[in-house]
Amino acid sequence: MGEMEELRKEADNLKDQITEARKVVQDTTLQEAVAGTTLVGRVQLKTRKTLRGHLAKIYAMHWGTDTNCSKLCVSASQDGKLIVWDTLTTNKVSAIPLKSSWVMTCAYAPSGNMVACGGLDNMCSIYNLKGKDGNVKVMRELAAHTGYLSCCRFLSDSEIITSSGDCTCVLWDIETGTEKTIFAGHLGDCMSLAVSPDFKMFISGACDFTAKLWDIREASCRQTFSGHESDINAIGFFPNGNAVITGSDDATCKLYDLRADQELITYQDSGIMCGVTSLAPSLSGRLLLAGYDDFNVNIWDMLKAERVGVLAGHDNRVSCIGVSSDGMACCTGSWDSFLKIWN
Amino acid sequence: MSNNSANSSNLVIAQKVVKQLRLEASVRRIKVSQAAADLKTFCLQNAHKDPLLMGVPSSDNPFRPPKSCALF
C-alpha cells in the first residue's frame, strides 16, 4: 500500500508543478495584450443558400478542401443518409444510404475521393466517391471501438482518426481496416477531434472536461488542458496551429495556447446559458463562429472576446458548423433538417 | 477478481498516470506575452484575406448570382 500512496503524492506534486510552471510564464493576459486593438465591427452574414433534402436532424457536416472541391460538403442526418452537396448550385452530388441511421459524425477526405461516417454502430464506415461504375459504395468498415463514434477526420486516403464514447481515439489504416494506434488517457467519452494544419498532431475534447493534444507519430499525449466545467462538445485549431479552441456544455468557449500551455481567454456572456455544440474559426482566426443549443450561432471577436454578430435562421439546435477552406462561406447544419450557407 | 490483482492493476494505472504527468510537466513553455503577440500578429496580417471578416462584394461572391440590370 506504501507504493500506491507514494504514487498518489507524486501525481499531486506533478500537478502542482504544472500549475506553477504555467503561472511562471503568465507575464500578462491576452486581454491586456490586445487592449489597444480595435474591436471588429458588427459582422452581419446573410443566408445565401439553404440546402434542403434531409428528412431528420442533421448531426454533422464537413467541407471538402481546396485541392478538389472547396465548394462541396458532406452532411449526415439521422434520416440515415449522407449527402454530398454542391453548395453553389445546391444540387446533391451524392445521396448515400447508410446501414445504420444513428449517425453522429461525417468527414470529407482532403483528396475528395472519400467520405466517412459513424455513430451508435460504434464503427467508422468509409465510402469511395470515385468508384468505377459511378456508384458510391462502402469501402471499409472500421470496427473496434466499444463505444459510439463521435467524430472522425481523414489524414489522407489511407489514414483516418476517430474519437469514441469508449474514451479513446484511434488512428486507423484504411487499407487493412486495422487500428494503428490507440490514444488512451481521457476519463470520459471523447466527443470531438481536430487535426493540426501540419497533420502532425490532433486534439480531442471529452466528457472529462479536458482537451488533450496528441502527437500522432509518437503516439503520445503531449498536453492536457482543463478549465471547462462540463463536457467539451466541440474543438478546433486556430488557423496557425498554435492554439486550440474548445466549446462546452458549460456555455463557454475557451482559447488555449499550445506553446504557453494554458488557457488565454474564455468566450462567455451572462446572457448565454446553453451549451456550445460546434465551432469554427474564420480564415484569419479573428472570428470564432460557435453554434449553441438555443438555435443560434454567435460570432466572437477571438482577440477581444466580445460578441460581434449572431446568425439566427434555424428553427432548432445548430448541431454543426464549418468554414470553407478558402474562408468564403460558413455552413451551419441543424436539427431542423436544413443546412444554410452564410457570408 | 481477487484483491491482489485489483491492487496490482490499480498500481499499474497509477504508474501510468505519474508517467504521463511527468511528460506534461516537462513541456517547454513560452511567455503568454509572446503567445498573445503572435496570435494578434497572425490575425492582423491575415485580416485582409479573410472574406467573412472583410465582407464579400456581391460581384465576387460565388454564392450570389450576379444581379443583372437590363436597360433595354
Side-chain angles (χ1 to χ4, degrees), chain A residues 15-323:
Chain A
K15 283 183 194 161
D16 288 341
Q17 263 182 57
I18 292 172
T19 305
E20 261 319 295
R22 284 170 170 166
K23 278 210 193 107
V24 163
V25 294
Q26 198 178 34
D27 55 343
T28 184
T29 62
L30 177 61
Q31 215 145 359
E32 282 164 35
V34 299
T37 307
T38 320
L39 183 68
V40 161
R42 187 125 199 101
V43 176
Q44 281 170 318
L45 305 183
K46 294 207 171 91
T47 302
R48 302 296 177 193
K49 305 282 180 192
T50 298
L51 307 179
R52 295 164 220 273
H54 278 302
L55 304 170
K57 294 175 176 171
I58 290 172
Y59 274 80
M61 68 77 49
H62 194 213
W63 283 97
T65 52
D66 264 328
T67 46
N68 271 312
C69 41
S70 68
K71 296 298 180 299
L72 297 183
C73 73
V74 63
S75 61
S77 159
Q78 292 204 344
D79 61 4
K81 290 236 166 46
L82 267 195
I83 299 181
V84 177
W85 308 84
D86 176 330
T87 59
L88 289 177
T89 60
T90 72
N91 288 339
K92 298 173 190 46
V93 172
S94 298
I96 308 164
L98 306 174
K99 270 192 202 169
S100 161
S101 65
W102 304 112
V103 66
M104 296 172 69
T105 182
C106 62
Y108 216 130
S111 65
N113 294 334
M114 307 174 191
V115 289
C117 69
L120 295 184
D121 58 355
N122 297 2
M123 290 195 311
C124 182
S125 301
I126 314 281
Y127 294 83
N128 183 357
L129 295 177
K130 308 283 165 87
K132 280 179 190 133
D133 53 0
N135 276 339
V136 176
K137 287 189 294 194
V138 182
M139 216 185 92
R140 284 290 176 276
E141 282 174 341
L142 308 174
H145 277 301
T146 54
Y148 59 86
L149 205 86
S150 52
C151 194
C152 58
R153 284 292 177 260
F154 284 91
L155 289 184
S156 65
D157 280 3
S158 55
E159 288 180 318
I160 191 167
I161 301 185
T162 56
S163 62
S164 167
D166 68 11
C167 310
T168 71
C169 294
V170 171
L171 168 69
W172 303 81
D173 178 325
I174 296 175
E175 201 55 39
T176 60
T178 56
E179 298 163 288
K180 266 187 170 173
T181 312
I182 299 176
F183 300 89
H186 274 300
L187 300 173
D189 300 14
C190 292
M191 298 302 290
S192 187
L193 77 97
V195 179
S196 65
D198 66 5
F199 292 91
K200 291 183 182 167
M201 315 272 214
F202 77 93
I203 39 172
S204 57
C207 292
D208 60 6
F209 312 172
T210 73
K212 283 180 183 286
L213 174 73
W214 307 87
D215 183 318
I216 298 175
R217 302 305 157 193
E218 300 270 307
S220 62
C221 170
R222 289 269 204 93
Q223 291 163 258
T224 300
F225 301 97
S226 324
H228 275 298
E229 293 167 1
S230 188
D231 302 353
I232 292 178
N233 299 316
I235 200 162
F237 270 94
F238 183 82
N240 70 359
N242 286 340
V244 160
I245 315 143
T246 52
S248 164
D249 269 348
D250 68 10
T252 75
C253 291
K254 285 178 187 287
L255 177 73
Y256 295 95
D257 189 280
L258 298 180
R259 295 176 306 157
D261 185 41
Q262 57 192 272
E263 176 187 327
L264 291 190
I265 206 152
T266 298
Y267 305 93
Q268 65 191 341
D269 185 310
S270 55
I272 302 173
M273 290 173 292
C274 60
V276 179
T277 60
S278 48
L279 61 83
S282 68
L283 198 71
S284 67
R286 187 63 193 270
L287 299 178
L288 168 63
L289 294 100
Y292 292 73
D293 280 341
D294 66 359
F295 313 173
N296 289 331
V297 169
N298 287 314
I299 305 177
W300 298 86
D301 175 326
M302 226 192 283
L303 293 178
K304 305 288 280 181
E306 285 189 43
R307 263 203 291 182
V308 293
V310 175
L311 300 182
H314 283 291
D315 295 325
N316 207 323
R317 178 185 291 193
V318 172
S319 56
C320 50
I321 192 168
V323 170

Side-chain angles (χ1 to χ4, degrees), chain A residues 3 7 10 21 25 27-28 48-49 71 87-88 221 224 238 257 259-261 264 282-284 327 329 343, chain B residues 15 18 20 22-24 29-33 35-36 38-40 42 49-52 61-64:
Chain A
E3 193 175 348
L7 287 169
E10 193 173 356
V25 294
D27 55 343
T28 184
R48 302 296 177 193
K49 305 282 180 192
K71 296 298 180 299
T87 59
L88 289 177
C221 170
T224 300
F238 183 82
D257 189 280
R259 295 176 306 157
D261 185 41
L264 291 190
S282 68
L283 198 71
S284 67
N343 70 10
Chain B
Q15 280 164 351
V18 166
Q20 179 58 35
R22 274 198 206 128
L23 206 94
E24 294 184 23
R29 298 169 181 83
I30 66 169
K31 291 210 159 70
V32 170
S33 53
D38 289 351
L39 282 175
K40 182 170 132 186
F42 186 87
K49 305 190 239 166
D50 188 338
L52 293 179
N61 193 347
F63 293 98
R64 254 188 132 166

